[in-house]
Amino acid sequence: MSRLSKLLSIKPAAPSPVAGIARRDIVEAGELPLALIIVTVAVVSGVSLAFEVLLTRLFSILFQYHYVFVATSVAICGLGLGGAAGAWLTAHRGRPLEGREWGRVLLALALVLTADALLLARLTWAGSVYLHALLALAPYLLIGLFLSSVFARRPQDSPRLYAADLLGAAVGTVAVLPLISLTGAFAAILWLAALSLLPALALLRGHQGRLGGVAMASGAFAIAALLLAQRTGGLLTLDMAGIRSAAPDKTLVRVLQDPSQQARIVETVWSPFARLDVVETRQAQQKLIFTDGGAGSYMYRLEAGSIGHVDQALTELSPLKEALEFVPFTIGSNDDILVLGAGAGRDIVLALLAGGAHITAVEINPAMVDLVRRYAAYNGAILDRPKVTTVVADGRSFVEQTQAHYDLIYLNVVYSQAAGHEGAALSESYIFTEEALRAYWRRLKPGGRIGIVTHNGFEGSRALLTAIAALQAEGLGRRAALDRVVLTQYGSDDPAQRTSVLLVTRDALSQDALAQVAHEAERRGMQPLYLPYFFELTLRDLVLGRGDVYTFARNGDVNLAPTSDDRPFFYHLDWRLPPPLATLLAWVAAVVLLYAAATLWGVRRAARAAPGSMAGSMAALTLYFGVLGVAYMLILLPLVQRFFLLFGNPTLSLVVTLEGLLIGAGLGSFVSGRRHTGLTGLVGLAAVGIVALATTHAFAYPALRDQLLGAPLAARIGAALLLTLPLGFLLGIPFPTGLRVAGQTAPHGLPMWWGLNAVASVLGSALASVVAIRLGFRDVLLLGAALYALIPLLLRLANPPR
């Protein structure tokens, strides 16, 4: 028998004998089958997670990634509002929503999703995230109303319902990724709307009446019409040229709105990683490919028949050798070159112009590689020339796994503005950390060098200090490390144009080599920020031995401290928290406190007629569900972030990590439902296991990851599942068990406690980001483990032995 068959065949536990919810043995249409409820919960949960992924993709086109996090978090707070609405309806009606009322909520969800797809595609004002967030909040309000009502109506079935919730989320997370590539994000929302109609139809079957039938038919017709219009006329297409108040780093909007560029989008490709736009301008010799409207990459025109005749084909591009990005190619051998972040091919062109004999180009986004290859007739098959080997992988992971050595490892402004799928975690690159630079340095040939081109001198200086820390960690002394780094900056009045170039060499540079670097930089309009023995003023304290790089970095107004895998926030140069994150944390904390107070007040008011004093139990349950929501995210988000390096692919990392945790949690919830006594002890055992596994992961995982990096992909996936499934299994026990206890103590409070848990999870996401920036992801895990240690105590206070 399959797991789903087993899940559906389990007989429900006996209902709670405690009065509070006016439970009917038979509703007007008869009691709904538990199997139908379970399947409906799974579908709605899958729609919820899939919609969150789509919001992350859509918002990342318009906003900087910190604001993407804010907008998505505000939207997900709608789950809590839905829980509050469910509690209000329960208090005024004497019972939760049920049966065909659920069907009406899901019908409304389908219609609201349809409207959202159209409105989000037509909303071109990007001056504030909150209007977009409010549009996205409406579906979550309905989802929260439905799910909280289901759990309140069937508290005795919470383990099976929560299992269906988690398994549905797991399926939704996986299914939406290919859907994005096939249809685009806006049309994908319509497919979610269509999916929401199916359980609505099942719940309303035979009871919708004339008005309900008309609404159902109208909703289905509207969704079908919009899908057809999207395929034939591009109705759900965001007008990037019409975006108003765009973020400063959304270069695509500026290019399209500049009349002198005569720019137009000729092709758009959606993928789970990012949206790509191919743009033509008045310069016929080049096209631009933008990632999520921000990071642009040049694709140059080469003759289609130029394979095997590279020198002739590249003649017209020889002026690129005068670009400041070419400086790393001007010293030392260029036989074996590794390009990290191939993009649309510009850096490969630079390597070919430098005479590279063997060029390995690594690109993380498979959609980018496919797109550039489709334009092979234009770009001369730049990714597949005889001297070029293209690899689809994360640059850092590739370096960790390869055994090859290189004369030059080249990183040209390796910065992807694509927001991560997890949405609630700040997505940062592991390509500029101390551990990364150590890995690059070990892959250099004698006389080899690393060339890093960054946006400005601040980023270059941070990369410089990180490189010094990396070299010292490799066993070099202070002076030996300082002799192997060079930093130059373009002298521009515009801070945004002060591009910097960092060189990190395998061996100390000779006086002649240093003079050559100075000459090549100077004739390109650059000035030294650090040049061993020639210009050392900027690092004077380090040169004189007055403290280490960490002490040196702490003395400045800008955060230049070396970054690590545990704190990979390279582009966060402010000592303060990012303003959007700080604002979100304050607001969500206030919302959680108000929500908790409202929950406690509402539950106590509804339970006035209950015998005895339950004030302590209700307060403990309120704390229980709030702490549980925060703690769960403090465990989940660092795990997703940490597994990225193991796979070198953000999509694969997201899928494997979330699937392991969600499937494990679903199984844990299902198994916990078989136990009907000793619920507090069950949660205590689960908490002990969670604390032990999370703490072990916090300290042991980095070493284990390093051992697994060279293993085949199947072995790495298997290892990740072995690490996440047991932890997920334990994480799936406390929430449904708490709902069963709450159903026996104060059943009227179930919708509010469900909603509190949802809102608290947003607080957990924000708190995880804050702690990761300040202390690191390891401490996020440890904080989550500490909160889980409190869970059994809170549940015991809520359910004291009798």
Side-chain angles (χ1 to χ4, degrees):
M1 185 181 291
S2 69
R3 288 176 179 170
L4 183 57
S5 298
K6 292 179 180 179
L7 180 65
L8 301 182
S9 65
I10 295 297
K11 295 181 180 178
S16 169
V18 177
I21 296 181
R23 179 177 175 82
R24 306 177 190 178
D25 293 328
I26 299 176
V27 294
E28 293 179 29
E31 186 70 51
L32 287 174
L34 179 60
L36 175 59
I37 299 175
I38 285 175
V39 171
T40 302
V41 167
V43 170
V44 173
S45 181
V47 168
S48 176
L49 260 290
F51 188 52
E52 181 181 353
V53 173
L54 292 174
L55 289 180
T56 303
R57 289 270 33 84
L58 291 173
F59 291 160
S60 65
I61 301 168
L62 297 172
F63 309 118
Q64 295 171 306
Y65 65 84
H66 294 307
Y67 290 97
V68 174
F69 177 34
V70 171
T72 308
S73 298
V74 170
I76 295 173
C77 282
L79 292 173
L81 294 178
W88 183 83
L89 289 171
T90 299
H92 282 73
R93 294 155 47 98
R95 62 175 179 83
L97 298 180
E98 57 189 1
R100 63 178 180 274
E101 296 163 336
W102 294 339
R104 291 169 186 159
V105 172
L106 296 186
L107 174 59
L109 172 63
L111 296 176
V112 168
L113 284 171
T114 303
D116 265 7
L118 188 60
L119 291 172
L120 289 172
R122 294 300 170 189
L123 183 58
T124 57
W125 185 61
S128 172
V129 301
Y130 294 106
L131 183 56
H132 291 78
L134 288 175
L135 284 175
L137 181 145
Y140 281 110
L141 189 152
L142 294 169
I143 291 171
L145 174 59
F146 168 75
L147 290 176
S148 65
S149 298
V150 170
F151 278 93
R153 182 69 178 83
R154 305 293 292 257
Q156 74 279 5
D157 296 316
S158 292
R160 274 159 289 185
L161 295 174
Y162 190 52
D165 186 353
L166 295 170
L167 293 175
V171 173
T173 302
V174 173
V176 74
L177 300 179
L179 186 62
I180 294 173
S181 300
L182 289 172
T183 69
F186 293 109
I189 296 177
L190 291 183
W191 284 108
L192 295 184
L195 182 60
S196 301
L197 274 180
L198 297 178
L201 178 62
L203 293 169
L204 288 171
R205 185 175 55 187
H207 299 280
Q208 65 267 36
R210 178 176 298 178
L211 183 60
V214 170
M216 183 74 70
S218 300
F221 177 79
I223 294 170
L226 284 173
L227 285 171
L228 179 62
Q230 170 66 7
R231 291 186 62 86
T232 57
L235 177 65
L236 299 178
T237 302
L238 184 64
D239 179 15
M240 296 300 295
I243 298 296
R244 294 168 295 161
S245 302
D249 59 350
K250 296 303 178 183
T251 317
L252 171 60
V253 177
R254 296 205 305 272
V255 170
L256 292 174
Q257 293 177 347
D258 183 357
S260 66
Q261 296 275 5
Q262 299 177 20
R264 66 187 185 96
I265 297 175
V266 296
E267 184 174 359
T268 297
V269 174
W270 289 91
S271 78
F273 186 82
R275 166 177 156 156
L276 301 176
D277 291 286
V278 182
V279 175
E280 288 182 350
T281 66
R282 59 184 177 81
Q283 300 183 39
Q285 297 303 312
Q286 65 186 34
K287 297 181 190 294
L288 286 152
I289 299 182
F290 289 92
T291 300
D292 278 343
S297 179
Y298 286 100
M299 179 169 60
Y300 294 109
R301 183 176 183 177
L302 298 171
E303 295 179 4
S306 63
I307 295 180
H309 306 280
V310 176
D311 293 339
Q312 179 181 352
L314 294 176
T315 300
E316 294 184 2
L317 296 177
S318 58
L320 290 176
K321 297 171 72 172
E322 302 305 313
L324 57 88
E325 297 94 335
F326 196 75
V327 169
F329 296 94
T330 60
I331 60 168
S333 171
N334 288 317
D335 287 342
D336 292 294
I337 298 175
L338 175 62
V339 175
L340 300 183
R346 173 185 168 89
D347 296 341
I348 299 174
V349 170
L350 295 179
L352 291 169
L353 289 172
H358 304 96
I359 303 166
T360 303
V362 180
E363 170 57 42
I364 191 173
N365 188 356
M368 174 69 83
V369 173
D370 292 341
L371 186 59
V372 173
R373 281 177 169 154
R374 286 212 300 274
Y375 283 81
Y378 178 87
N379 59 44
I382 189 68
L383 299 182
D384 298 298
R385 288 181 175 274
K387 294 182 180 181
V388 179
T389 300
T390 300
V391 179
V392 179
D394 169 65
R396 164 73 182 283
S397 297
F398 175 83
V399 172
E400 293 275 12
Q401 295 176 51
T402 187
Q403 298 300 313
H405 289 77
Y406 302 93
D407 296 298
L408 171 62
I409 298 177
Y410 185 71
L411 302 89
N412 184 358
V413 194
V414 182
Y415 173 37
S416 171
Q417 292 163 205
H421 297 122
E422 56 273 30
L426 295 179
S427 183
E428 284 291 349
S429 176
Y430 287 90
I431 212 154
F432 288 134
T433 65
E434 178 183 327
E435 294 87 344
L437 288 169
R438 293 180 64 182
Y440 305 155
W441 193 74
R442 289 194 294 264
R443 296 267 72 84
L444 292 177
K445 291 181 177 180
R449 70 272 184 208
I450 305 166
I452 299 176
V453 184
T454 63
H455 297 88
N456 52 61
F458 291 127
E459 293 175 2
S461 297
R462 188 168 211 179
L464 171 70
L465 294 179
T466 304
I468 294 172
L471 293 176
Q472 290 183 301
E474 285 293 306
L476 273 66
R478 175 183 51 81
R479 184 68 248 184
L482 290 168
D483 288 347
R484 286 166 169 79
V485 291
V486 175
L487 179 63
T488 58
Q489 175 185 265
Y490 182 65
S492 172
D493 293 334
D494 183 0
Q497 300 297 322
R498 294 174 188 169
T499 305
S500 69
V501 176
L502 171 68
L503 295 176
V504 183
T505 60
R506 180 71 190 185
D507 306 308
L509 290 172
S510 65
Q511 294 293 311
D512 291 341
L514 290 170
Q516 181 182 355
V517 172
H519 170 71
E520 294 290 346
E522 183 179 2
R523 73 185 192 87
R524 290 172 172 81
M526 305 184 76
Q527 57 193 24
L529 292 182
Y530 178 78
L531 191 67
Y533 302 105
F534 286 83
F535 188 87
E536 298 185 335
L537 181 63
T538 51
L539 299 185
R540 180 177 177 82
D541 287 346
L542 282 179
V543 172
L544 297 177
R546 298 171 182 169
D548 56 18
V549 290
Y550 301 96
T551 303
F552 179 85
R554 284 196 295 268
N555 292 331
D557 296 330
V558 179
N559 181 9
L560 302 179
T563 56
S564 66
D565 286 350
D566 197 44
R567 297 173 66 187
F569 303 98
F570 180 82
Y571 293 103
H572 179 56
L573 299 171
D574 197 331
W575 288 110
R576 300 169 301 172
L577 292 173
L581 179 59
T583 302
L584 176 68
L585 181 65
W587 275 103
V588 175
V591 168
V592 169
L593 290 175
L594 289 173
Y595 198 107
T599 298
L600 191 56
W601 177 82
V603 175
R604 292 181 64 179
R605 182 182 180 189
R608 282 176 181 173
S613 174
M614 296 191 299
S617 294
M618 290 184 289
L621 281 171
T622 301
L623 283 173
Y624 179 86
F625 287 107
V627 171
L628 196 58
V630 173
Y632 183 80
M633 300 308 293
L634 292 177
I635 297 292
L636 174 67
L637 297 181
L639 290 180
V640 173
Q641 195 79 12
R642 282 182 140 206
F643 275 106
F644 173 80
L645 276 179
L646 187 61
F647 298 108
N649 180 297
T651 302
L652 183 59
S653 172
L654 176 77
V655 168
V656 173
T657 309
L658 279 185
E659 294 307 290
L661 290 171
L662 292 176
I663 292 174
L667 294 174
S669 176
F670 170 65
V671 172
S672 70
R674 297 188 172 188
R675 184 162 177 174
H676 304 293
T677 60
L679 298 182
T680 303
L682 177 63
V683 170
L685 289 174
V688 169
I690 292 169
V691 171
L693 289 178
T695 303
T696 301
H697 191 286
F699 291 101
Y701 174 73
L704 179 61
R705 181 203 64 211
D706 293 342
Q707 294 297 317
L708 290 170
L709 278 174
L713 178 60
R716 282 178 278 146
I717 291 176
L721 291 176
L722 287 175
L723 290 171
T724 54
L725 278 170
L727 181 57
F729 183 90
L730 297 172
L731 289 170
I733 294 174
F735 182 68
T737 305
L739 288 177
R740 284 200 285 167
V741 171
Q744 298 169 359
T745 305
H748 277 97
L750 285 172
M752 287 294 285
W753 281 319
W754 187 95
L756 174 62
N757 182 263
V759 174
S761 70
V762 179
L763 175 60
S765 300
L767 184 60
S769 298
V770 170
V771 176
I773 289 174
R774 293 298 192 203
L775 302 174
F777 285 110
R778 185 185 69 179
D779 289 334
V780 177
L781 268 175
L782 294 176
L783 178 58
L787 291 181
Y788 265 103
L790 297 175
I791 293 299
L793 175 61
L794 293 174
L795 193 60
R796 181 164 293 278
L797 291 174
N799 187 35
R802 293 178 174 85

